[in-house]
Amino acid sequence: MNYKTHVNGGILLGLYMICRVPKQSVLTSGLLLGGAIVGSLFPDIDHKNSYIGQKAKSVSKAINKFAGHRKLFHAPLIYLFLYSIGIGMIKEKLGLVAINGVFIGIFSHLILDSFTIGGLPWFYPFSKKKVSLAKIKTNGKFEDILCGILTCINIVIILDLLHITSIFTFTQI
Ligand SMILES: [Zn+2]
């Protein structure tokens, strides 16, 4: 999937989580959403032609050489492990919000990549087999449609949160 779809996926999951935890301050909501956006782009650091890979070309090239594309940096079990360590180490509230945001974004990225032809190595490092739940081609027309739908849903959620509309039930906080 391209970065636009990933960012929209990260925003969607971030907004959903904001709705799940009522009475959050603007700061914590912003931090969670910012973290989710960064996290939604992060796994593609293992590909030098990705949006984030182009921003950090030399880092991306080195990672790709050492870890390959859609392997270590697209492995849910690895992120689960890192998340447990992060949550255990950070005690400060805002730090926890930020780390939750980043991992929410990463999770959205992994889910979306699972719907591509290439699939995702869900059980890496135990198995290299990639699980593909659909045959969406990166930058293809189905991805454009998906990205459009995600964008529309995000706009509606934001309008709901601003009390301009009241379309979704989970936004009624
Ligand atoms: Zn990816």
Side-chain angles (χ1 to χ4, degrees), residues 70 118-132:
R70 284 207 192 174
L120 200 91
W122 272 90
F123 305 102
Y124 190 89
F126 300 106
S127 162
K128 285 182 181 156
K129 194 179 177 296
K130 288 183 178 164
V131 179
S132 170

Side-chain angles (χ1 to χ4, degrees), residues 7-172:
V7 165
N8 272 295
I11 291 175
L12 176 59
L13 209 55
L15 286 173
Y16 180 75
M17 294 314 287
I18 288 169
C19 296
R20 299 301 300 169
V21 187
K23 294 197 179 82
Q24 286 201 67
S25 69
V26 176
L27 178 66
T28 53
S29 299
L31 203 57
L32 191 111
L33 204 56
I37 292 171
V38 172
S40 73
L41 295 169
F42 178 76
D44 280 347
I45 189 87
D46 67 6
H47 194 306
K48 70 176 182 354
N49 290 331
S50 68
Y51 178 79
I52 190 168
Q54 284 186 334
K55 302 274 172 223
K57 248 186 183 138
S58 46
V59 178
S60 172
K61 260 186 181 166
I63 289 176
N64 185 275
K65 211 166 183 185
F66 143 82
H69 178 49
R70 284 207 192 174
K71 285 182 182 151
L72 189 69
F73 281 72
H74 279 73
L77 296 178
I78 301 287
Y79 286 115
L80 198 65
F81 176 66
L82 293 175
Y83 179 69
S84 326
I85 294 175
I87 287 294
M89 277 170 60
I90 297 168
K91 298 278 173 256
E92 205 244 333
K93 192 189 171 229
L94 288 180
L96 284 172
V97 171
I99 202 160
N100 272 317
V102 169
F103 278 92
I104 285 167
I106 290 173
F107 185 62
S108 75
H109 185 114
L110 301 179
I111 296 279
L112 282 171
D113 272 0
S114 301
F115 288 91
T116 60
I117 296 172
L120 200 91
W122 272 90
F123 305 102
Y124 190 89
F126 300 106
S127 162
K128 285 182 181 156
K129 194 179 177 296
K130 288 183 178 164
V131 179
S132 170
L133 302 174
K135 301 283 172 235
I136 297 175
K137 201 170 155 250
T138 299
N139 292 322
K141 72 169 186 295
F142 282 112
E143 178 169 9
D144 287 344
I145 294 168
L146 178 65
C147 187
I149 292 171
L150 290 173
T151 309
C152 290
I153 295 173
N154 285 337
I155 291 170
V156 172
I157 295 174
I158 291 167
L159 290 176
D160 270 10
L161 288 174
L162 294 171
H163 303 290
I164 295 168
T165 55
S166 58
I167 292 173
F168 293 122
T169 48
F170 68 88
T171 56
Q172 313 302 310

